Amino acid sequence: MKKHIMELLMGCFLLVCFYYLSREAAVVTVEMNQKKVIVVDCGHGGSDPGMIGIDGLKEKDFNLAIGLKVKESLEKRDFQVVMTRDTDTGLYEEASNNKKAQDMQKRILLIQEVKPVLTVSIHQNSYEDSRVKGPQVFYYRDSPQGEKLAKILQEKLNEYLQVERPREAKGNTTYYLLRRSPGVLNIVECGFLTNPEEATMLSHEEYQQKVAEAVADGVVQYMNGMK
Ligand SMILES: [Zn+2]
């Protein structure tokens, strides 16, 4: 009888030990999983093609292809990435009578929910003069942190893409996403789909990868400056 009680007590003791050890392990796992979260927003999608470039190129397709590469590059650098979309769809509901407005509102809602350290919104540019080209990064004019990130991203893009006549990051107060984003957000216009040379380069996966690496390395540099 005494032996059974001892065994029972030992069993209970081991169970308690196991409980505390597994709890410790769970805490450690949670801490290790606390990666910095970044939202990657691929502009347009679904019924909204965005800008139309030479030969009918649709901006939405470039935004998605490059955005997915940015996600991959950031994950390699140990960030957690949340995409606003990862397929050719908008964020609107089919029944909505103002799809564009709903799409934009939902992007902002997602950023509000996720609370990322920053958001990068991927777009392509267009202009009536087909000679105009080059990447350009936009930030909310009244956001010093947004400006800081934009200057770094612009510098990286100019460097990695070997831009002949580099542009400067530009402040803006009218773009909906820049105005409404609750945290730091930059709009990255990767290039002009109306410039034949740049449109061709942007179509190549290698060039898209360079854009992604520039953005991801820029984010790393910005985050290092935050420490
Ligand atoms: Zn766009």
Side-chain angles (χ1 to χ4, degrees):
M1 186 64 187
K2 217 174 180 181
K3 198 180 154 203
H4 282 296
I5 290 171
M6 277 305 283
E7 274 173 1
L8 201 65
L9 281 173
M10 274 304 281
C12 288
F13 175 71
L14 283 173
L15 269 177
V16 171
C17 287
F18 181 72
Y19 169 73
Y20 278 104
L21 276 174
S22 58
R23 224 174 57 154
E24 280 292 303
V27 170
V28 171
T29 314
V30 167
E31 278 170 5
M32 279 172 68
N33 284 342
Q34 271 179 353
K35 292 180 179 177
K36 296 255 183 315
V37 182
I38 295 191
V39 168
V40 173
D41 173 49
C42 301
H44 316 282
S47 63
D48 172 15
M51 307 287 185
I52 302 292
I54 55 154
D55 303 329
L57 295 175
K58 290 178 186 141
E59 184 197 344
K60 63 173 184 174
D61 298 330
F62 290 78
N63 298 343
L64 181 59
I66 294 171
L68 287 170
K69 286 187 166 56
V70 171
K71 174 185 193 276
E72 209 180 307
S73 301
L74 284 168
E75 283 174 347
K76 276 187 192 149
R77 288 158 180 78
D78 219 25
F79 290 101
Q80 189 190 330
V81 175
V82 176
M83 306 286 288
T84 52
R85 68 177 178 100
D86 55 10
T87 55
D88 180 18
T89 45
L91 278 74
Y92 53 81
E93 282 148 24
E94 283 304 327
S96 170
N97 50 20
N98 193 343
K99 290 192 171 100
K100 185 68 194 166
Q102 194 185 38
D103 176 83
M104 297 302 270
Q105 284 159 7
K106 285 206 170 183
R107 287 174 203 255
I108 291 296
L109 273 176
L110 185 138
I111 297 168
Q112 278 169 355
E113 277 166 28
V114 173
K115 296 186 183 68
V117 286
L118 59 93
T119 300
V120 181
S121 183
I122 306 291
H123 288 260
Q124 315 301 317
N125 229 330
S126 75
Y127 197 63
E128 57 207 26
D129 183 345
S130 67
R131 287 170 301 180
V132 175
K133 59 178 182 176
Q136 189 161 34
V137 184
F138 291 87
Y139 58 92
Y140 187 58
R141 208 186 56 196
D142 300 333
S143 162
Q145 290 310 320
E147 182 176 357
K148 194 174 166 192
L149 173 65
K151 285 185 169 162
I152 296 173
L153 293 184
Q154 184 72 56
E155 200 183 297
K156 292 278 178 206
L157 286 163
N158 291 340
E159 184 194 330
Y160 288 26
L161 304 176
Q162 295 168 321
V163 178
E164 291 162 32
R165 268 188 279 167
R167 290 167 181 277
E168 281 181 12
K170 201 172 178 186
N172 175 293
T173 52
T174 55
Y175 291 164
Y176 183 87
L177 282 183
L178 292 179
R179 272 193 296 125
R180 295 295 178 90
S181 173
V184 173
L185 183 145
N186 276 184
I187 292 177
V188 178
E189 300 274 5
C190 307
F192 285 77
L193 294 180
T194 39
N195 177 271
E197 192 193 332
E198 202 161 52
T200 305
M201 288 196 296
L202 283 162
S203 306
H204 290 145
E205 228 177 286
E206 265 172 59
Y207 191 84
Q208 294 175 356
Q209 191 62 41
K210 273 190 201 167
V211 174
E213 299 291 328
V215 171
D217 281 345
V219 168
V220 170
Q221 190 177 318
Y222 170 81
M223 292 306 298
N224 285 341
M226 292 283 100
K227 280 177 191 166

